[in-house]
Amino acid sequence: MFKKLTPLVTLFLVTSYASAQVLDLAAGFKNPPGDARPQVWWHWANGHISAAGITADLEAMKRVGIGGGTICNVATLPEGQTPVMSPQWWNLTS
């Protein structure tokens, strides 16, 4: 009798396990863990930041499900010896 039940029990266990995996995957898509949430590049423009602005940005990111980010401080650099879009610049791009 056990020999006849073994394939059925195995099938039941495999099906149950597969169903649980699908449910876990679906739940994960609806509410992903922190390390699986999207992340952003967060640009800070050359010191134009404030505590209130940072707090507002972080709260907004949390509200929409952002899991983290990389802060990039964008600073103005002095103009180099080949100004952008100048004839010398265009000569270097061709």
Side-chain angles (χ1 to χ4, degrees):
M1 174 156 175
F2 286 116
K3 288 185 180 185
K4 291 182 181 180
L5 288 178
T6 300
L8 291 175
V9 170
T10 302
L11 180 61
F12 173 76
L13 291 174
V14 168
T15 304
S16 296
Y17 178 76
S19 295
Q21 292 296 321
V22 169
L23 292 175
D24 287 346
L25 184 60
F29 273 103
K30 288 181 181 177
N31 190 21
D35 61 349
R37 292 179 184 269
Q39 298 201 6
V40 297
W41 288 98
W42 189 13
H43 293 93
W44 288 5
N46 200 24
H48 297 277
I49 59 174
S50 68
I54 292 168
T55 300
D57 285 351
L58 288 171
E59 288 172 351
M61 287 184 225
K62 182 177 181 180
R63 187 171 49 254
V64 299
I66 301 297
T70 301
I71 296 171
C72 301
N73 188 47
V74 181
T76 304
L77 301 174
E79 190 169 72
Q81 58 186 336
T82 309
V84 176
M85 305 295 275
S86 69
Q88 298 89 351
W89 184 87
W90 282 108
N91 285 336
L92 291 172
T93 63
S94 54

